[in-house]
Amino acid sequence: MMTSIDDLFKGANGATKRKFENPRGADPTQAYKSVKLSAGSDAKQTATVEDEDDDEEAGPSLPPDFDEDEPGDDDEGRFFGGGLDEDAKDAMDYLEAQDGEEAITDEKYDVAWLRKLCLSFEKKFNKNASLRAKYEDDPTKFMDSEGDLDEAIKSFSTLSEHPELYEEFAKNTAAAKLVELLAHENTDIAIAAIEMISELTDEDVAGEQEQWDALVAAFSEADLLGLLISNFSRFDESDAADASGVYHSLSVIENLLSQPSNTDVVGKQSALLKWLLDRIQKPEKPTTQNKQYASEILSILTQSSRPNRTRIAEANGVDAFLTSLAPYRRDDPEKDSDEEEYMENLFNCLSSIVEEPVGKARFLEAEGVELCLLLVRDGKTSKSRALKVLDHACGYAEDIPQDATQSNGTTSKEKRPQPSNESVPNSAIAVCDKLVESRGLKPLFSTFMKTKKHDPEQTEHILGIFASLLRSLPGNSDARFRLLAKFLEKDYEKITKLVTLRRDYATRVAAFDDKLATRKRGLSKQEQADLDLENVPTRMSEGLYCLERIDAILAWLVAEDDGAKDAIVKALAERDEGLADVKKTLKAQLDGDLAVEAAEREMLETLVGFL
């Protein structure tokens, strides 16, 4: 069967080769005309057959041994016959074979190839530097060398496909010279170098960790971070090329942050933190990709390192975040836009920073509690994010360093567990007190009663706030009495909703545990323990976290008020449940959660004992 035309266009790998697409349209003569008529030619000068002497032969002379009358050639003429002597045929066959061999020969990417690449780059680097120094006032003398240098920079792109050569490249002086180009007088050259470094350090490069580490170490030794930061001041983002330079610089920083060991190194760069905080406050409509990217870098820094949270808080970060978030009290960002991601990143930054004592203090000073309560009351998209910030701000993560005088003030002689101010950092108590003082209970409880099942995250944060308030507000204080009154009002409707929610979460957790038990069948004890550990995050998200918060709240209410206790017992009894079920949850938290801090552990033990 004759081979089809389509088969002739298939390569060795079986994929159809890309066919030529005529850029001038369907008329094949247009391509011919573009070659025939150069820019300086005149169409009237083209010759025609009629201009030639009919008696003279046109075209090249015939081959020496061609004879029209000689037999043996086909009747179609020389274009379909031999036309070439044997030597000429052999020469043509050899050239065709050589061309074919070159076409299918793959270049070998090894150490020799890399050294050749680096040598070529360094020659162009040195030539450009020499010409720039010699003809400083005459750019025309070194412009060509900069074009060559730009091309040499881009040639390193192939290296990103061969990370097995990274360690060898890191040893070569070309790696340091590539970083050195970030300070080049021509910002286009600097941007090209930044873009190449971003490509080489991308976390998606399919190499080993050791290879990536070696390259980043070489770049860092050449002051990569310092040069990146210094470049921000000379980039003008109104220019598209400079905006690209900022974007790729942030990309390099993000690549560095993909390795946790670099988070504190990057976070210690005070000039970078200042630039990032200034950048997120720059007015823009619409929000640009670079503004969003700057907020994302801040989000990574704050979520990955406690020292970084403190540094950013001390750099006036809390005030910057609150100021930037204030407009979202009434206005929502466009869905799936850079602005929506920008807003989300700022809320994440704030949620992380307010976990630290200095962050809580700055949050109070900047009236962050008041703003978040306004967002809870009036916001739409921002409502649940503001609740998240308040949840983290009211939390009682231990101070750094832990005060040696802090201990749980509850003793076995006390009839009821009391909030132990000694075990809660003063900053957490202050935030909780400010929330009540700012009339925050009304919007909180109103939102709690209106929250539907389809918004579990919002419910989770409100439960976290309630638990923190009960944990932190001083006993016999006005703020605590006001909080308890909210739970007891309107015939204990809030308690009824708490028990209803508890039932839903308990059902979900039980269903998940049943599935997990099925997966454990036939496994060894060690394998079962490993499976349990692996599924802790999923189990928490399936409802265990909220169940633990609810049962802690219920336990506090039982201890605080007899009327509340009766209401809780009555509501639980509707489904044949009792305080023993609440106790079981808290005890399981104590037995299974090794991350429970000492102060919280003592509080939970007291509640369990009382129940």
Side-chain angles (χ1 to χ4, degrees):
M1 181 177 177
M2 184 176 290
T3 306
S4 69
I5 294 296
D6 286 338
D7 289 339
L8 292 175
F9 281 94
K10 290 185 179 179
N13 59 1
T16 304
K17 288 186 179 180
R18 186 178 301 171
K19 297 179 181 179
F20 174 75
E21 295 178 3
N22 192 340
R24 298 179 179 272
D27 183 2
T29 62
Q30 295 301 316
Y32 168 76
K33 289 177 182 177
S34 69
V35 176
K36 189 71 175 175
L37 301 178
S38 63
S41 64
D42 188 343
K44 293 180 181 178
Q45 295 176 357
T46 55
T48 62
V49 175
E50 286 76 15
D51 294 332
E52 301 291 340
D53 188 342
D54 292 341
D55 293 335
E56 295 182 7
E57 289 188 7
S61 59
L62 298 175
D65 54 349
F66 178 84
D67 189 342
E68 290 184 3
D69 296 329
E70 186 175 334
D73 287 334
D74 57 36
D75 295 335
E76 303 293 340
R78 67 186 177 94
F79 294 105
F80 293 89
L84 294 174
D85 60 22
E86 289 302 318
D87 291 338
K89 284 182 181 180
D90 290 342
M92 290 297 291
D93 289 344
Y94 174 78
L95 290 174
E96 286 176 6
Q98 289 295 103
D99 289 343
E101 193 173 308
E102 288 176 6
I104 62 172
T105 299
D106 290 330
E107 186 163 9
K108 189 175 182 181
Y109 298 103
D110 54 12
V111 173
W113 168 83
L114 177 63
R115 288 174 180 167
K116 182 180 177 183
L117 181 70
C118 291
L119 182 61
S120 173
F121 164 74
E122 291 199 55
K123 282 182 178 178
K124 292 172 183 178
F125 176 100
N126 293 332
K127 181 180 180 182
N128 175 248
S130 175
L131 290 174
R132 265 191 167 272
K134 188 175 181 180
Y135 303 106
E136 184 178 357
D137 299 324
D138 188 1
T140 59
K141 299 287 188 180
F142 55 74
M143 287 299 290
D144 288 344
S145 71
E146 286 187 3
D148 294 338
L149 181 57
D150 182 72
E151 184 181 337
I153 294 168
K154 291 178 170 60
S155 68
F156 282 113
S157 182
T158 306
L159 180 59
S160 66
E161 300 170 15
H162 300 279
E164 68 276 6
L165 296 173
Y166 274 16
E167 291 175 280
E168 185 66 29
F169 179 56
K171 299 173 188 174
N172 198 293
T173 54
K177 288 188 182 296
L178 182 61
V179 174
E180 192 178 325
L181 286 178
L182 270 62
H184 198 280
E185 293 88 340
N186 185 342
T187 54
D188 289 338
I189 293 293
I191 291 168
I194 292 168
E195 187 171 353
M196 185 50 55
I197 291 170
S198 173
E199 184 176 339
L200 291 172
T201 58
D202 194 297
E203 61 179 324
D204 291 333
V205 170
E208 299 297 328
Q209 186 64 48
E210 295 78 12
Q211 296 162 351
W212 189 89
D213 287 343
L215 183 61
V216 169
F219 285 160
S220 298
E221 194 174 332
D223 195 24
L224 170 62
L225 204 51
L227 290 171
L228 281 173
I229 295 168
S230 65
N231 264 335
F232 285 130
S233 60
R234 70 165 175 161
F235 286 148
D236 175 11
E237 290 187 65
S238 63
D239 177 78
D242 281 14
S244 169
V246 170
Y247 176 86
H248 288 295
S249 296
L250 292 173
S251 175
V252 173
I253 292 171
E254 183 185 22
N255 293 345
L256 295 177
L257 291 172
S258 68
Q259 188 62 22
S261 60
N262 290 326
T263 53
D264 282 337
V265 175
V266 175
K268 287 177 181 176
Q269 307 296 319
S270 56
L272 173 62
L273 298 184
K274 183 181 185 306
W275 183 87
L276 290 169
L277 290 170
D278 288 342
R279 186 64 185 85
I280 63 167
Q281 296 179 82
K282 184 178 178 182
E284 290 181 351
K285 209 67 176 175
T287 299
T288 63
Q289 191 176 19
N290 282 349
K291 185 175 182 179
Q292 181 272 322
Y293 211 165
S295 71
E296 187 173 330
I297 297 298
L298 284 167
S299 180
I300 295 170
L301 287 170
T302 54
Q303 291 185 72
S304 60
S305 165
R306 294 189 71 177
N308 281 345
R309 296 172 202 166
T310 299
R311 293 182 189 114
I312 293 172
E314 291 174 342
N316 208 31
V318 173
D319 194 64
F321 298 138
L322 290 171
T323 302
S324 301
L325 287 169
Y328 298 110
R329 176 184 172 187
R330 299 188 185 279
D331 296 331
D332 273 359
E334 184 182 341
K335 269 287 186 189
D336 300 321
S337 63
D338 284 328
E339 185 178 6
E340 185 180 43
E341 288 189 41
Y342 162 78
M343 182 196 77
E344 197 78 53
N345 287 331
L346 295 191
F347 273 117
N348 287 337
C349 289
L350 202 52
S351 297
S352 297
I353 288 179
V354 297
E355 289 186 350
E356 305 304 326
V358 65
K360 295 181 194 294
R362 296 297 173 91
F363 186 62
L364 287 168
E365 290 170 11
E367 300 183 347
V369 173
E370 291 88 336
L371 175 62
C372 284
L373 289 173
L374 288 173
L375 293 171
V376 170
R377 190 186 71 186
D378 303 328
K380 294 177 183 176
T381 304
S382 61
K383 181 192 289 283
S384 62
R385 280 75 173 174
L387 286 168
K388 177 182 177 180
V389 173
L390 288 173
D391 183 12
H392 286 254
C394 291
Y396 45 91
E398 295 179 357
D399 285 5
I400 306 176
Q402 176 67 29
D403 189 344
T405 64
Q406 290 179 358
S407 61
N408 193 296
T410 303
T411 67
S412 58
K413 294 180 181 180
E414 294 176 310
K415 179 182 177 183
R416 297 185 177 190
Q418 296 294 320
S420 85
N421 299 338
E422 292 84 0
S423 66
V424 182
N426 290 334
S427 51
I429 297 172
V431 173
C432 291
D433 200 52
K434 173 61 74 173
L435 189 149
V436 178
E437 181 189 317
S438 303
R439 300 181 180 180
L441 294 179
K442 183 176 180 180
L444 277 178
F445 277 92
S446 175
T447 303
F448 173 64
M449 294 304 292
K450 293 176 182 177
T451 300
K452 307 297 182 184
K453 286 184 179 181
H454 65 266
D455 198 349
E457 185 179 353
Q458 191 163 291
T459 301
E460 174 186 319
H461 293 310
I462 294 175
L463 293 173
I465 294 169
F466 288 164
S468 293
L469 291 173
L470 287 166
R471 171 76 167 80
S472 301
L473 290 175
N476 299 321
S477 66
D478 179 63
R480 192 171 191 82
F481 287 138
R482 289 166 65 183
L483 173 64
L484 292 172
K486 276 292 181 183
F487 280 108
L488 306 181
E489 69 180 5
K490 297 183 180 179
D491 199 23
Y492 306 107
E493 65 174 7
K494 281 81 175 180
I495 289 177
T496 301
K497 176 152 188 177
L498 280 171
V499 173
T500 301
L501 282 173
R502 183 194 187 281
R503 196 169 291 134
D504 292 339
Y505 288 120
T507 301
R508 284 171 50 188
V509 173
F512 180 79
D513 288 344
D514 287 343
K515 292 179 182 176
L516 197 59
T518 302
R519 292 174 59 191
K520 287 182 182 179
R521 289 174 188 167
L523 299 180
S524 67
K525 287 186 178 181
Q526 183 58 50
E527 289 172 331
Q528 290 182 12
D530 292 342
L531 191 61
D532 281 335
L533 189 61
E534 179 187 330
N535 281 276
V536 166
T538 309
R539 195 163 181 258
M540 294 295 282
S541 63
E542 280 295 316
L544 181 59
Y545 177 85
C546 289
L547 180 62
E548 290 175 349
R549 300 285 85 72
I550 290 173
D551 282 355
I553 294 167
L554 293 176
W556 275 112
L557 293 175
V558 166
E560 294 274 357
D561 186 86
D562 290 334
K565 177 181 178 181
D566 292 339
I568 292 168
V569 170
K570 181 181 177 182
L572 288 170
E574 291 178 3
R575 296 290 180 92
D576 296 325
E577 296 171 321
L579 295 181
D581 296 289
V582 176
K583 179 179 179 180
K584 182 181 177 182
T585 302
L586 300 183
K587 194 169 186 312
Q589 185 179 356
L590 279 169
D591 295 340
D593 190 353
L594 299 177
V596 174
E597 293 174 352
E600 185 181 2
R601 179 173 291 278
E602 290 185 35
M603 180 269 294
L604 287 172
E605 286 172 348
T606 305
L607 288 175
V608 167
F610 181 79
L611 288 171

